[in-house]
Amino acid sequence: MPTPPELQGRHIVLGLSGGVACYKAAELTRELVRAGATVQVVMTDAALQFITVATMQALSGRAVFTSQWDTREPNAMPHINLSRQADAILVAPASADFIAQLAQGRAGELLALLCLARPIETCPLLLAPAMNREMWAHPATQRNVAQVLADGAMLLGPAAGDQACGEVGDGRMLEAGELRDALVAFFQPKRLAGRSVLVTAGPTFEAIDPVRGISNHSSGKMGFAIARAAAEAGARVTLVAGPVHLPTPAGVRRIDVQSAQQMADAVLSLAPAHGFFVATAAVADWRPLQAAGQKIKKDGSGQAPTLALAENPDILAAVARLPEGQRPWCVGFAAESEHIVEHARAKRLRKGVPLIVANHGPSTFGQDHNALVLVDAAGETPLPRADKLTLARALVAEMARRAPEVTR
Ligand code: CTP
């Protein structure tokens, strides 16, 4: 099942000011168009030194605007028309000089002019700065950035890393995919603004000896999708992840752990500071009673060693038992192989949580799609088969709707 285009119906004015990062704007245009947006490119004179109108026109599929004196518009007012049609203006790259122009309310070129002329309440302005680290750190730039933020613009990045000039530091423009995701996140409803969500994800790894252990096939994808969806909804998110190789969602604080005990220690110290707890981790039920200090060797007898196991702490149940005032609103997951809803109902009561999300374990581990059933005291709500991010957003909406009393 293909992921629905996330920017379908959105009209984005993509502004380019001068900088080497203009090369990334080509890829960004492709990403935005692929995500369903219509993209109207506007370039400054300086941007034209770095990338051509032909490239940007071919990628966006629309004539590019470069001048406020462009007479193609019947009323000869491209600065008014372009900003009235836009759902958002994204300037990527936003150079130091361009941010300085915005800070002063200057309007000498079409891009700055249309930013100034935009309806400030309905047309958001997002800036992706790109410049040398010294330029970014300069007090003049920082002063200008503070001013444009105070005037209602939003900043995407910059990131730290290698720069075209050969230096390393803050000022790199975000990558095209990161900017697309930031725009997608920007348009999500802020259902969890001011709230905080703690998520566990992935498997745990229980060491047998220094080279072997007990684990499972959980990919962590559902938990990472929930962390991303909660962050998109405006929450402060902490993700406690078992051993998985997934990128950390933007804006999410990640804590990596290995064993169930490490996960339990991390979660129990963090839980009282969070409004919601979502336990998606496939926590190993048992661990070797004692991990061997050295690799266990075959002794030649043909006999396999016997592993004594101890039960791991139930993290979700422990959080659900925290005293009132320290206890987040808890969501558990139940990966079952049969009688999904019946097992989920029993599990909800056993763990003492308001909501359990049931799914068919064997058919979801590692997959990009899933189907869920939400089980609470009132009954069952199915969330039909979809990609995990779509399901995660739906779950976040259900959490916000069911727990309006959660204020932190
Ligand atoms: N869970 C947990 N700590 C554990 C075991 C499970 O926090 N030690 C959480 C999971 O993250 C999930 C929920 O409890 O949200 C249910 O996990 P599941 O493995 O389905 O249930 P179990 O309690 O292990 O029960 P069973 O294996 O008997 O189905």
Side-chain angles (χ1 to χ4, degrees), residues 5 20 41 46 74 85 152 186 214 217 219 247-248 252 267 277 326 341 376:
V20 182
V41 175
Q85 292 153 2
F186 175 79
I214 301 171
H217 286 306
S219 65
T248 310
V252 168
V267 165
F277 174 51
Q326 293 188 30
V341 170
D376 69 3

Side-chain angles (χ1 to χ4, degrees), residues 200-204 215-225 239 241-247 254 280-282 361 364-370 388:
T200 64
T204 64
S215 193
N216 59 63
H217 286 306
S218 168
S219 65
K221 286 179 181 172
M222 193 68 222
F224 276 61
L239 174 62
V244 292
H245 299 284
L246 292 174
R254 172 174 180 170
T280 70
T364 175
F365 271 23
Q367 302 298 309
D368 290 324
H369 291 74
N370 199 0
K388 288 184 175 176

Side-chain angles (χ1 to χ4, degrees), residues 200 260 263 277-285 312-317 331-336 347 350-351 356:
T200 64
M263 187 175 274
F277 174 51
V278 187
T280 70
V283 183
D285 289 317
N312 272 328
D314 189 321
I315 303 168
L316 177 59
V331 182
F333 267 67
E336 308 292 347
K347 207 165 271 186
R350 198 166 68 238
K351 308 235 176 191
I356 282 273

Side-chain angles (χ1 to χ4, degrees), residues 64-378:
V64 170
F65 282 79
T66 59
S67 164
Q68 69 270 45
W69 311 119
D70 196 318
T71 51
R72 280 174 295 175
E73 294 287 291
N75 62 356
M77 293 187 203
H79 64 296
I80 300 293
N81 303 349
L82 297 182
S83 63
R84 298 303 179 272
Q85 292 153 2
D87 290 307
I89 301 171
L90 168 60
V91 182
S95 66
D97 181 62
F98 186 73
I99 295 171
Q101 290 179 47
L102 289 181
Q104 292 184 7
R106 298 178 70 101
E109 270 198 272
L110 176 60
L111 187 55
L113 172 59
L114 76 88
C115 289
L116 192 67
R118 81 187 198 282
I120 207 160
E121 299 297 334
T122 55
C123 182
L125 174 60
L126 297 98
L127 305 173
M131 66 196 75
N132 166 268
R133 67 190 173 102
E134 299 290 0
M135 293 169 72
W136 173 252
H138 196 284
T141 302
Q142 290 301 310
R143 203 165 52 235
N144 291 332
V145 166
Q147 185 60 59
V148 296
L149 291 177
D151 292 345
M154 209 179 121
L155 223 54
L156 305 179
D162 291 339
Q163 305 202 305
C165 51
E167 296 180 6
V168 180
D170 286 339
R172 257 177 78 94
M173 189 168 91
L174 296 185
E175 302 302 326
E178 293 173 311
L179 288 173
R180 178 211 51 218
D181 288 352
L183 206 55
V184 168
F186 175 79
F187 286 119
Q188 293 299 316
K190 303 300 167 214
R191 294 188 167 101
L192 291 180
R195 259 78 67 77
S196 53
V197 181
L198 177 63
V199 184
T200 64
T204 64
F205 181 88
E206 312 298 328
I208 294 173
D209 66 21
V211 296
R212 306 184 183 93
I214 301 171
S215 193
N216 59 63
H217 286 306
S218 168
S219 65
K221 286 179 181 172
M222 193 68 222
F224 276 61
I226 289 169
R228 174 175 167 182
E232 287 177 346
R236 174 173 64 81
V237 181
T238 310
L239 174 62
V240 180
V244 292
H245 299 284
L246 292 174
T248 310
V252 168
R253 172 185 174 212
R254 172 174 180 170
I255 296 166
D256 285 315
V257 297
Q258 292 278 322
S259 67
Q261 190 58 56
Q262 288 169 353
M263 187 175 274
D265 292 345
V267 165
L268 284 165
S269 73
L270 290 162
H274 288 78
F276 292 91
F277 174 51
V278 187
T280 70
V283 183
D285 289 317
W286 301 282
R287 66 178 179 278
L289 192 54
Q290 210 146 34
Q294 302 300 330
K295 184 182 173 195
I296 302 170
K297 307 292 285 180
K298 288 193 283 291
D299 63 8
S301 69
Q303 291 286 312
T306 308
L307 274 184
L309 298 177
E311 195 168 312
N312 272 328
D314 189 321
I315 303 168
L316 177 59
V319 173
R321 279 195 305 267
L322 286 171
E324 181 92 44
Q326 293 188 30
R327 181 174 65 236
W329 201 88
C330 291
V331 182
F333 267 67
E336 308 292 347
S337 61
E338 58 174 359
H339 309 302
I340 294 175
V341 170
E342 290 75 8
H343 282 311
R345 276 197 211 118
K347 207 165 271 186
R348 192 182 80 80
L349 297 175
R350 198 166 68 238
K351 308 235 176 191
V353 297
L355 181 63
I356 282 273
V357 182
N359 64 143
H360 187 253
S363 62
T364 175
F365 271 23
Q367 302 298 309
D368 290 324
H369 291 74
N370 199 0
L372 305 176
V373 183
L374 308 190
V375 178
D376 69 3

